[in-house]
Amino acid sequence: MRNAVKEVVSGFYSLIVGMRVTIGQFFKPIVTVQYPHETLKIAPRFRGHIELVLDPATGKPKCFACKLCERACPSDCITVEGAKLEGAKKRSVTAYHLDFTKCSLCGSCVEACRDGAIRFSRDYNLAGWSKEDFIMDLFKRLELEAQAASPEKVDGRAVPGLIAAQDAAHQDKTKTDLK
Amino acid sequence: MTTQETIVSNLADVPRSNGGGVETFVLNVGPQHPATHGVLRVKMTMDGEYVLRAEPVCGYIHRMHEKMGENRTYAQFLPNTSRIDYLSAMTYTHAWAGVVERAAKIQPPPRAEYVRVITSELNRISSHLVWWGAFLLDLGGFTPLLYAFDDREMILDLLERITGARLTYCYYRIGGLYNDVDEEFIEGTRKFVHHMRPRLKMYRELVTENIIFRKRLIDIGPISQEMCRKYGATGPVIRGSGIPYDVRKAEPYSAYPEFDFEIPHFREGDSMARYLVRMEEMAQSLRIIEQALDKLPSGPVMAEKVPRVLKLPAGDYCYAVEAARGRFMVRIVSDNKEIAYRAKLRTPCLSNLSLFEEASQGMLLPDALALMGSLDLVIPDIDR
């Protein structure tokens, strides 16, 4: 009998202690972020899907289709084609397909690339309606971006506007304010 | 109803006193059931509210990870390891990187080993936090999940900062690490350790001492030491039965021998004991992290001579780590090629699940689910 009373009292006390913790939360700062009205800053090493990097000297992709990324990929999602253009010293990339449906975002391709010709894109809103949306032609994506951007001067030197635009986008894609 | 010693294969054998001969029915828990945390199906033969037999049916998320380990190079398999037990991805990658390093005689630099310990322990805490929240969700308490995810978010932010991913990190490489840690990560981890200690106290006040919670767990689902040995249970399950077995102490690997920490174990063997083991483990992990941060050596994070084309000398190699759920071991049989001849992954959850059939006999259904929650199952880890 005595033990039962003791248990009831201590049990009731334990509930009150728990309640105190819960009530304490009312006076603590809110930790939730109201996405999509607010977004957090993307981590600097964010591993998104890959994208080709432009060479500032030529305005062409740095990639010369050595196919190291293709070989490093565990899921066979990269297909690179290259050709030696007339008058060029190196081969240059003519097609770069990424099958994003298979990609597991491991980053082996970026690590395998010796010339820094590919990097992680900072796109994260990647929802799509069909499977074909995720079979990406990265070379075409770059060309389309280049057409959209007009040349402008950066640091007193004329570079294709795309590089500046691409870099700016790469730096901070998080400032999309949807309010 | 009393717990039976043997598995009932035929319901006719069940003595009448134990519910035999009365009407029974089969209840399917899963494969899509919130209490199984994934696609696990448990075929339960029920007598009213009592479980006569619970038969786990696995294989719904079988992805042939072992076979995949045998058709790609050692480095190419690394991303897979994060996906076996997605909640403690770091430790699993550690085992794979470890076995290849052991076979190829590559010694990762000390800084890499220390960072591996720090990130593994952070990952262990985050894994236990998910378990804590989900377990209480099974028992009918929703709020603890939100507290747990609040703290887990801090760990994920820290790990995302250095690895670039929030769940499937793939941070370790054969011979070292993908990237070095920066000052901000170290500061952030220190801050987290200071933040987490009072939180653990708060968890105790909020949940562990709660009378309703204690009544739900104490003396529920006892697992004896014999049963643990019989089924090869490891991790918090075996430690909850009073056997202080931990790979970090039993077969020290990486930089673990250099740290001072204890292996929490409780003799009771009930669901509460397994709960307390995990809660205590979080405190011990914080201790390890603090020591590792204090002693963190400087230097490179990648071994110098890691061949681009890695061929392991012919032989048979093993490496075990203490993952959040128990002993995870990788065994590679190599025949001097770029690709393993055989890759065997010994995962803790399959052994921990297999004792469920015996342990849950004669229990009430809600108690059986509490027992299942206390085993902390991750289904891809069972099926792999």
Side-chain angles (χ1 to χ4, degrees), chain A residues 3-141:
Chain A
N3 277 348
V5 172
K6 216 171 152 189
E7 199 181 344
V8 167
V9 172
S10 69
F12 205 70
Y13 178 71
S14 79
L15 294 182
I16 288 174
V17 170
M19 284 295 188
R20 202 183 59 205
V21 172
T22 313
I23 290 168
Q25 284 297 315
F26 280 112
F27 307 103
K28 297 222 169 117
I30 295 169
V31 290
T32 39
V33 174
Q34 297 297 324
Y35 185 82
H37 300 294
E38 300 167 59
T39 45
L40 293 170
K41 210 167 159 41
I42 296 184
R45 290 174 189 169
F46 175 72
R47 296 210 300 255
H49 72 75
I50 48 169
E51 65 182 11
L52 290 170
V53 177
L54 284 177
D55 188 350
T58 59
K60 292 252 160 56
K62 272 187 189 172
C63 174
F64 55 91
C66 67
K67 301 200 176 201
L68 272 178
C69 48
E70 200 180 299
R71 230 171 301 149
C73 181
S75 345
D76 288 334
C77 58
I78 300 172
T79 339
V80 194
E81 275 160 43
K84 197 161 180 182
L85 298 178
E86 269 180 61
K89 271 187 229 159
K90 282 182 184 170
R91 279 153 64 86
S92 54
V93 62
T94 52
Y96 198 111
H97 291 280
L98 170 70
D99 185 351
F100 196 53
T101 57
K102 288 191 209 162
C103 175
S104 55
L105 299 171
C106 66
S108 306
C109 43
V110 177
E111 241 170 290
C113 187
R114 288 178 200 179
D115 299 77
I118 46 177
R119 68 177 170 200
F120 298 116
S121 121
R122 299 178 79 78
D123 276 339
Y124 62 91
N125 287 318
L126 289 166
W129 291 105
S130 69
K131 197 179 166 187
E132 284 68 40
D133 291 350
F134 298 101
I135 297 171
M136 301 174 181
D137 189 336
L138 295 184
F139 189 62
K140 212 167 205 170
R141 183 172 175 262

Side-chain angles (χ1 to χ4, degrees), chain A residues 7 11 14-15 17-18 20-22 25 31 43-47 71-74 104 106 111-112 114 120, chain B residues 72 76 79 83 147 150 160-165 168-169 173 178-180 202 205-206 209-211 215 308:
Chain A
E7 199 181 344
S14 79
L15 294 182
V17 170
R20 202 183 59 205
V21 172
T22 313
Q25 284 297 315
V31 290
R45 290 174 189 169
F46 175 72
R47 296 210 300 255
R71 230 171 301 149
C73 181
S104 55
C106 66
E111 241 170 290
R114 288 178 200 179
F120 298 116
Chain B
R72 56 194 61 198
Q76 279 183 337
R83 285 157 175 88
Y147 290 105
D150 180 11
E160 187 188 15
R161 194 182 156 71
I162 52 166
T163 66
T168 48
Y169 307 106
R173 291 287 179 274
Y178 168 47
N179 262 320
D180 197 1
M202 186 269 264
E205 286 175 357
L206 182 71
E209 283 169 5
N210 185 308
I211 183 80
K215 291 267 174 198
R308 277 197 99 86

